[in-house]
């Protein structure tokens, strides 16, 4: 039973990590296509497609956070982060459709920064820890 629970927990944690990586990559793609939007007609199509992928990645992040929390009884904090991010993504979509770049662009930068922070939080446990003696 313990082996099954540990394996399931590892899979769900991996799913959470993959969803945050996908979300961060989608946001980076959005930043690149936003720049292309200013210089070519193809940028608009790519930015539109990327917005749908980014929104889907935000929903996937919420699903992964709920699944990672449920079996282990861990803190629901990642669910709050993921849900907050989905709310920001929804506002971002509305601002983009309404063509309000004065709010759309800064919110996009904020979302990318928050996504990188979330990425750091889920990847940090994978990094090897350095001991105090190694620093001296």
């Amino acid at each position: 039973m313990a082996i099954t629970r540990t394996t399931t927990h590892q899979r769900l944690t991996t799913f959470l990590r993959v969803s945050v990586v996908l979300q961060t990559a989608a946001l980076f793609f959005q930043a690149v296509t936003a720049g292309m939007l200013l210089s070519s007609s193809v940028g608009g199509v790519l930015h539109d497609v990327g917005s749908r992928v980014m929104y889907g990645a935000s929903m996937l992040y919420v699903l992964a956070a709920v699944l990672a929390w449920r079996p282990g009884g861990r803190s629901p904090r990642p669910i709050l982060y993921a849900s907050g991010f989905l709310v920001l993504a929804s506002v971002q979509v509305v601002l983009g459709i309404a063509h309000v770049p004065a709010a759309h662009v800064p919110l996009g930068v904020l979302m990318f920064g928050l996504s990188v922070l979330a990425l750091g939080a889920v990847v940090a446990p994978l990094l090897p820890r350095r001991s105090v003696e190694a620093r001296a």
Side-chain angles (χ1 to χ4, degrees):
M1 181 75 163
I3 293 173
T4 305
R5 181 172 284 184
T6 303
T7 303
T8 303
H9 177 71
Q10 289 173 348
R11 287 182 182 161
L12 292 173
T13 303
T14 300
F15 181 46
L16 181 65
R17 288 182 180 127
V18 168
S19 67
V20 173
V21 168
L22 177 64
Q23 174 182 279
T24 306
L27 283 164
F28 182 73
F29 180 79
Q30 285 300 93
V32 170
T33 58
M36 291 174 59
L37 182 68
L38 300 173
S39 61
S40 72
S41 61
V42 176
V45 173
L46 290 174
H47 195 70
D48 183 49
V49 170
S51 69
R52 296 164 201 268
V53 172
M54 184 275 304
Y55 198 76
S58 297
M59 288 190 276
L60 184 69
Y61 180 32
V62 172
L63 176 66
V66 169
L67 290 175
W69 165 74
R70 186 158 184 164
R74 295 172 30 190
S75 170
R77 189 170 294 192
I79 298 171
L80 295 173
Y81 294 156
S83 299
F85 203 92
L86 185 60
V87 168
L88 289 176
S90 299
V91 171
Q92 184 73 336
V93 168
V94 169
L95 291 171
I97 291 171
H99 300 288
V100 184
H104 183 75
V105 173
L107 183 58
V109 172
L110 175 68
M111 288 173 61
F112 180 70
L114 291 174
S115 190
V116 168
L117 286 174
L119 180 64
V122 298
V123 172
L126 298 175
L127 301 175
R129 294 187 181 224
R130 294 176 34 187
S131 66
V132 176
E133 295 85 26
R135 293 182 194 167

